[in-house]
């Protein structure tokens, strides 16, 4: 792991994550209103789900094995045709590694966020990201992404990679 650029996670916050998509969370920053005769608070329109031309939104559950820190980031992926949203179901923190949409990223393009167990993310179409990085225990995520024709996953190897140290 020598020679790898160190990657330090920062808290997942709406403004810092905005270049990559949306943070999905029940916060005062989101539009919200009381519904169901006062029994429910609706946090409204939290993510721009984009299924892309000819696609449809699908809902899945991903069960992710935990990763141990330090963790070496060696690859990234993107979905050029549509967005992809992840909402944790297990209430555990996890890591989010992203890079801007566009050409294949270099390690200096990466940003690492520590998401709380009550925060989801929606990656905008074409945003580079690392596959799920659960921490601590096996964790389930509700995933909303694209079903339909076309190749919607590109992967690249990072040389050199980066090292998430915690």
């Amino acid at each position: 792991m020598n020679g790898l650029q160190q990657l330090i996670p920062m808290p997942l916050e709406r403004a810092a994550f905005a270049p990559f998509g949306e943070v999905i969370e029940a916060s005062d920053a989101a539009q919200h209103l009381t519904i169901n005769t006062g029994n429910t608070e609706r946090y409204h329109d939290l993510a721009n789900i984009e299924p892309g031309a000819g696609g449809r939104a699908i809902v899945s559950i991903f069960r992710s094995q935990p990763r141990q820190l330090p963790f070496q980031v060696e690859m990234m992926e993107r979905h050029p045709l549509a967005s992809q949203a992840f909402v944790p179901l297990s209430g555990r923190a996890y890591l989010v590694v992203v890079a801007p949409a566009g050409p294949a990223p270099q390690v200096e393009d990466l940003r690492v966020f520590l998401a709380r167990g009550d925060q989801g993310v929606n990656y905008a179409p074409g945003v580079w990201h690392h596959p799920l990085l659960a921490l601590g225990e096996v964790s389930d995520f509700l995933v909303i992404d694209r079903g339909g024709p076309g190749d919607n996953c590109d992967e690249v190897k990072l040389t050199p990679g980066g090292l998430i140290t915690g």
Side-chain angles (χ1 to χ4, degrees):
M1 293 189 194
N2 291 338
L4 297 177
Q5 181 170 325
Q6 188 174 4
L7 302 170
I8 307 294
M10 65 178 89
L12 180 62
E13 295 176 350
R14 185 179 302 273
F17 193 75
F20 310 107
E22 297 94 15
V23 175
I24 301 170
E25 66 181 333
S27 79
D28 288 339
Q31 178 186 357
H32 56 102
L33 55 143
T34 303
I35 61 171
N36 298 336
T37 62
N39 291 314
T40 303
E41 189 75 9
R42 176 180 176 148
Y43 292 84
H44 183 70
D45 198 13
L46 298 176
N48 184 21
I49 304 299
E50 298 180 27
R56 62 184 182 84
I58 62 172
V59 176
S60 307
I61 293 178
F62 288 14
R63 181 158 290 154
S64 184
Q65 299 299 312
R67 308 295 182 114
Q68 299 300 316
L69 297 180
F71 178 79
Q72 188 170 341
V73 177
E74 299 175 318
M75 63 82 68
M76 296 289 280
E77 67 179 33
R78 69 175 175 184
H79 304 282
L81 302 179
S83 63
Q84 189 176 43
F86 292 85
V87 179
L89 298 175
S90 301
R92 293 182 193 74
Y94 63 103
L95 292 172
V96 174
V97 181
V98 289
Q106 303 297 312
V107 69
E108 57 270 11
D109 301 323
L110 303 183
R111 298 295 173 266
V112 182
F113 296 94
L114 177 61
R116 299 185 318 261
D118 65 345
Q119 293 178 303
V121 294
N122 183 50
Y123 300 123
V127 165
W128 292 97
H129 60 278
H130 193 278
L132 280 171
L133 292 170
L135 298 172
E137 298 179 40
V138 173
S139 298
D140 288 349
F141 293 81
L142 182 74
V143 179
I144 305 167
D145 61 355
R146 179 184 197 275
D151 186 8
N152 192 33
C153 187
D154 299 327
E155 294 182 0
V156 293
K157 183 171 177 53
L158 294 177
T159 306
L163 186 67
I164 302 173
T165 57

